[in-house]
Amino acid sequence: MDSLAAYPLVSAIGWRLVIAGAAVWGAIQLLPSHHIATIALLLIVAFLALADLCVGMTRRTTIQARPATAEDAREADQLRALLDAVATALFVLDARGRIVRCNRAARRMAGAMVSRLEDVAALDPGTISILQALPAGARRLVRARDGRNLLAWCGSFTAPGAAPQRFLSLQWVAGELDAVEIEAWHAMTRVLTHEMMNALAPIVSLTESLTALPDHPPQTARALATIERRATHLLGFVERYRQLGDLPRPVPEVFDLSVLVTDVAQSAMSVLEGTSIRLSLPAKPARITADPELLERALANLLQNAAEAVRGQPSPRITIELTTEKTETILRVRDNGPGVPVDRIDEIFVPFFTTKEGGSGIGLSLSRQIAAAHHATLMAVPSDEGACFELRIPAADGEPSAH
Ligand code: ADP
């Protein structure tokens, strides 16, 4: 304790000691005179001064404990800041299921300060009832209102002096799931293409050799020609699917995504010349860190699909939107075609899945793979009209859009 801090303590103790001492001294002086009432009065004064001294000392002890309380408060602030820095949404619920505490990610998910799970903007009623029924210790994959996946985990804890509380952690997992799924598809594609190439290559070369031999009866010549044509076609088909497994690693650079969008849209429009598609492009710049060549491929696929979807519509329209948020840049490609049926939303990203005659079924799976390589997500999200594909690109550290 420094001398300044000691001063109030000495002065607080001092005057009480002086009064108590003076009263006792007075009482001793009066003893021979037998002034019992005055002596008693002086002793009472001395007692009161000493009692007040004790109370003061106790209070002083409490004052001395203050630095520890301030330390506690600082620690609580640090813990709160730490929880706010976590990207997972955390909701603490009381016994009646009311939200009593939440971190910043949870507030963002809720859209505002809310006191009930039912009011969390990102969750629909079906998902909320699943979450409310989750027992402590359970984990479950649920879907948010916008179709994205959330990994929910329910836990419970007891803080000192409080009743046990439940908490829910909700973590966006689309990117991670995509990466796992893509890796599984890769493994399968690698095996299939390898096996098919091994089988097809000798068929093609043997057929070529047989065809080169002279004097085939016409029927054999026709059969050989058919085998060669089919085998060559199959070889080309397998070769195309190889690109799914051969996606180059992204070489990121900082660029304006709105410029890339305009470039890709212009070249798509030159192909679509003669069609009456109305195209709306984003006006505001959006600087991101990504591989522009890979993103161009993904965007071209989305645009081509949108153009094919609006073909035959009375007033075909494609809209590309760009939204820059603190943590990510969101690109949406909307069209007013027939849309994607809800039960097909996951299927359309499966390699080789196509509903088009002559379609390859590679566009969306390749685009999702490009997204995953950037730790981004690509999804078909619910839309009032037609289809809407949403690419969410996370902000890189130090990126201008992230601040
Ligand atoms: P492909 O275009 O060769 O069929 P994709 O992987 O690009 O391959 O698309 C897969 C499927 O997803 C399509 O066949 C179609 O059924 C569906 N799809 C993609 N984009 C759209 C869209 N904008 N509107 C409706 N359906 C779409």
Side-chain angles (χ1 to χ4, degrees):
M1 194 191 301
D2 61 24
S3 55
L4 271 180
Y7 174 77
L9 176 65
V10 171
S11 79
I13 295 172
W15 69 264
R16 290 176 178 86
L17 271 182
V18 167
I19 289 176
V24 172
W25 183 81
I28 293 168
Q29 296 303 310
L30 287 173
L31 268 180
S33 61
H34 298 289
H35 279 113
I36 300 301
T38 315
I39 291 169
L41 191 68
L42 284 172
L43 286 178
I44 288 170
V45 169
F47 172 78
L48 287 176
L50 286 173
D52 192 48
L53 180 64
C54 289
V55 172
M57 288 294 282
T58 317
R59 211 178 285 148
R60 184 68 210 171
T61 313
T62 316
I63 291 166
Q64 275 178 337
R66 251 187 214 155
T69 311
E71 184 60 34
D72 285 351
R74 223 181 354 260
E75 205 168 299
D77 283 347
Q78 280 176 5
L79 282 175
R80 209 169 295 132
L82 177 72
L83 287 177
D84 278 345
V86 171
T88 303
L90 294 167
F91 294 97
V92 178
L93 308 164
D94 67 11
R96 286 186 294 160
R98 287 156 57 97
I99 300 171
V100 288
R101 216 171 282 281
C102 57
N103 67 347
R104 187 177 295 149
R107 287 193 291 278
R108 204 176 300 137
M109 188 180 280
M113 282 299 284
V114 294
S115 58
R116 304 176 323 146
L117 272 184
E118 286 88 331
D119 299 329
V120 175
L123 306 174
D124 61 29
T127 302
I128 290 164
S129 7
I130 293 173
L131 294 177
Q132 282 169 333
L134 268 191
R139 275 150 64 96
R140 169 115 192 228
L141 204 59
V142 292
R143 215 161 250 238
R145 204 182 275 278
D146 63 5
R148 286 192 287 160
N149 283 311
L150 279 167
L151 180 64
W153 180 50
C154 179
S156 73
F157 70 100
T158 311
Q165 291 178 317
R166 238 161 58 90
F167 71 87
L168 267 180
S169 85
L170 297 173
Q171 189 187 353
W172 299 109
V173 287
E176 290 78 355
L177 282 187
D178 293 351
V180 171
E181 200 177 307
I182 286 166
E183 193 37 56
W185 281 115
H186 266 183
M188 203 185 85
T189 310
R190 271 195 297 270
V191 173
L192 279 181
T193 50
H194 179 77
E195 291 300 317
M196 282 167 84
M197 287 298 230
N198 279 356
L200 282 171
I203 293 176
V204 172
S205 79
L206 280 174
T207 322
E208 277 170 1
S209 311
L210 282 174
T211 312
L213 292 176
D215 304 329
H216 285 305
Q219 214 177 350
T220 312
R222 266 203 309 277
L224 283 174
T226 308
I227 294 172
E228 192 187 338
R229 205 177 48 248
R230 289 277 166 87
T232 310
H233 173 79
L234 212 55
L235 214 55
F237 176 83
V238 174
E239 192 54 53
R240 263 195 295 152
Y241 288 131
R242 256 219 235 186
Q243 60 175 293
L244 271 181
D246 286 347
L247 191 76
R249 235 172 226 284
V251 182
E253 56 185 80
V254 179
F255 65 96
D256 183 351
L257 184 56
S258 70
V259 173
L260 182 87
V261 167
T262 310
D263 287 352
V264 177
Q266 266 164 6
S267 51
M269 280 299 114
S270 63
V271 175
L272 299 171
E273 215 164 316
T275 63
S276 54
I277 298 176
R278 219 174 69 223
L279 183 71
S280 310
L281 296 176
K284 275 202 208 150
R287 288 181 79 71
I288 61 162
T289 304
D291 184 323
E293 277 180 31
L294 288 179
L295 279 202
E296 185 177 335
R297 278 169 79 176
L299 188 57
N301 285 334
L302 296 179
L303 264 176
Q304 188 181 332
N305 279 341
E308 284 169 357
V310 296
R311 195 177 288 155
Q313 293 294 321
S315 15
R317 204 172 55 247
I318 299 176
T319 309
I320 307 179
E321 299 163 356
L322 269 181
T323 315
T324 304
E325 288 185 359
K326 210 170 172 200
T327 54
E328 59 188 358
T329 300
I330 307 166
L331 178 140
R332 293 191 185 93
V333 179
R334 298 181 186 277
D335 65 59
N336 65 342
V340 182
V342 181
D343 55 337
R344 288 236 165 112
I345 271 191
D346 288 326
E347 235 173 335
I348 57 171
F349 290 98
V350 171
F352 323 138
F353 174 87
T354 182
T355 53
K356 298 172 194 166
E357 201 165 311
S360 67
I362 300 190
L364 285 182
S365 61
L366 189 68
S367 304
R368 182 172 262 188
Q369 200 179 317
I370 291 172
H374 286 86
H375 305 290
T377 56
L378 174 65
M379 306 187 29
V381 294
S383 175
D384 294 340
E385 165 187 58
C388 176
F389 285 84
E390 190 178 86
L391 178 67
R392 288 175 176 258
I393 308 161
D397 281 350
E399 200 163 85
S401 64
H403 301 288

